[in-house]
Amino acid sequence: MLNRNLALQLLGGLLLGGVAIFTSAATDGAARVRVSAAGDLFAAGGNVEINEPVQGDAFIAGGRVLLAQPVGGDAFIAGGNIHVNAKLAEGLFAAGGRVAIEGDIGRHVRVAGGDVSITRTATIGGKATLAGAHVEVAGRVGKDLTIAADSARIDGQIDGSADISARHIELGPNASIAGKLIYWSPQAAVIDPAARVVGGADYRPVSMPEGMRTAGIIALMMGKVFLLIGLMLMGSLLVLLFPNFTGAVETAFTTSPGKSVALGLGLLLGLPIIGVLFIITLIGIPLGLTVFFLYPLVLMLGYLTAAVFIGDRGMSYLRQGRRLTTAIRIIGFIGALIVLAMIGALPFVGGLVVFFLLVGGMGAGAMALHERYRTHKIVTSV
């Protein structure tokens, strides 16, 4: 099992573990990883290269990310410069400064970035939704294509329809759209005479603010996806760094659910008031600002600890009393986050459930910290 010093090094930017094993660091600063039998991969670093096949899903974050080996599930990637040159059995969800896709993607692609390119060698089996300053599609998209960008160029094969919102739109000589082309733009698209649009082109002149409505929707969608990825990474670190604490939170949540919720509500409402009171005293302004700075972190930790609790409960039920390893706990936590995201999408009821879990996690965390402090005080006084 990973010790705390190694886990802190991971937090510093080399590698997230649990269902992935850290092996070595190359001289160029790239984090090299080997996937365990569990199948899923978690990796983070300044320069991350995945050079071995991934059996399950891949969760990757880094300044520069190179995915050059097959992935048996979905790939979730965030980074400055992302290069995907591999075969993915499922979908790709990516956000970065520059995103280039050269491999074969089995299902859907959702990408947001400054510069997004689907190269000539790329094949996408499902739909592609792309947002960026400049978007170019030269490969093949198996179903519909949706683009929101400042400039967009299509010079590849689209087996479905294309829906584009952009200031500048161009179709190259190799462009082939099996369905209809619908585009919103301040000006007509530049379409090469050799380009082929089977369903015809429907030009809808708009000012750019109106035309960027689609971009806003896509950006919101991407934001939710990568918020979820960020929570997955941070929660995995929480389980790795503080396994005993998360276990204590689970105990507090199980034995005193009502007290956990009540204490969490008190923290939710009381911390901002305490921060304001500190600021009013003038001399306590630094403390007040610190409270407001930490408040979002407390909320996030409350949500994460609730998800850890749900994941542990779920895995304990499935494994019927067998010991929960760190890898199993992380898998359960990720599953719980996905379930909570789906529940949270439900009108009213979903938000209410997530709210009570959040405040319950805050309260249980506070109870666990108090118990640890009390136990430590007793031990040191003996």
Side-chain angles (χ1 to χ4, degrees), residues 83 118 136 170 182 224 253-254 308 368:
H83 186 190
I118 311 296
E136 181 169 358
E170 180 183 353
I182 302 175
K224 290 182 177 180
F253 219 147
T254 304
V308 170

Side-chain angles (χ1 to χ4, degrees), residues 42-261:
F42 296 80
N47 188 18
V48 181
E49 296 182 8
I50 309 303
N51 293 317
E52 296 188 16
V54 180
Q55 297 176 11
D57 297 328
F59 302 85
I60 308 169
R64 175 184 172 272
V65 176
L66 171 61
L67 179 56
Q69 290 293 325
V71 176
D74 294 309
F76 302 84
I77 306 175
N81 192 333
I82 299 171
H83 186 190
V84 179
N85 185 18
K87 183 176 182 179
L88 277 60
E90 299 292 333
L92 171 66
F93 303 84
R98 184 176 184 274
V99 182
I101 301 172
E102 296 184 357
D104 296 332
I105 315 299
R107 299 189 65 189
H108 305 317
V109 168
R110 305 284 187 271
V111 173
D115 189 349
V116 178
S117 62
I118 311 296
T119 67
R120 186 79 58 194
T121 59
T123 300
I124 298 171
K127 298 179 180 179
T129 304
L130 313 173
H134 176 68
V135 175
E136 181 169 358
V137 179
R140 178 177 180 178
V141 177
K143 294 185 178 179
D144 294 339
L145 169 69
T146 302
I147 296 177
D150 183 68
S151 65
R153 186 175 192 272
I154 298 177
D155 197 32
Q157 179 179 336
I158 314 301
D159 293 342
S161 296
D163 189 324
I164 305 174
S165 294
R167 192 179 302 275
H168 304 285
I169 300 173
E170 180 183 353
L171 269 63
N174 298 311
S176 175
I177 300 176
K180 190 173 185 178
L181 169 63
I182 302 175
Y183 67 98
W184 287 262
S185 180
Q187 57 191 349
V190 178
I191 302 177
D192 191 279
R196 180 172 171 265
V197 183
V198 176
D202 182 0
Y203 170 39
R204 303 179 182 181
V206 290
S207 61
M208 209 57 233
E210 181 182 349
M212 288 306 291
R213 178 181 62 86
T214 306
I217 295 173
I218 294 176
L220 179 62
M221 178 188 67
M222 294 295 178
K224 290 182 177 180
V225 169
F226 288 99
L227 172 62
L228 181 62
I229 294 174
L231 291 175
M232 288 178 179
L233 296 176
M234 295 196 68
S236 299
L237 273 180
L238 186 65
V239 175
L240 281 170
L241 289 169
F242 308 107
N244 294 331
F245 171 71
T246 52
V249 170
E250 179 181 351
T251 301
F253 219 147
T254 304
T255 57
S256 305
K259 187 176 180 180
S260 297
V261 172

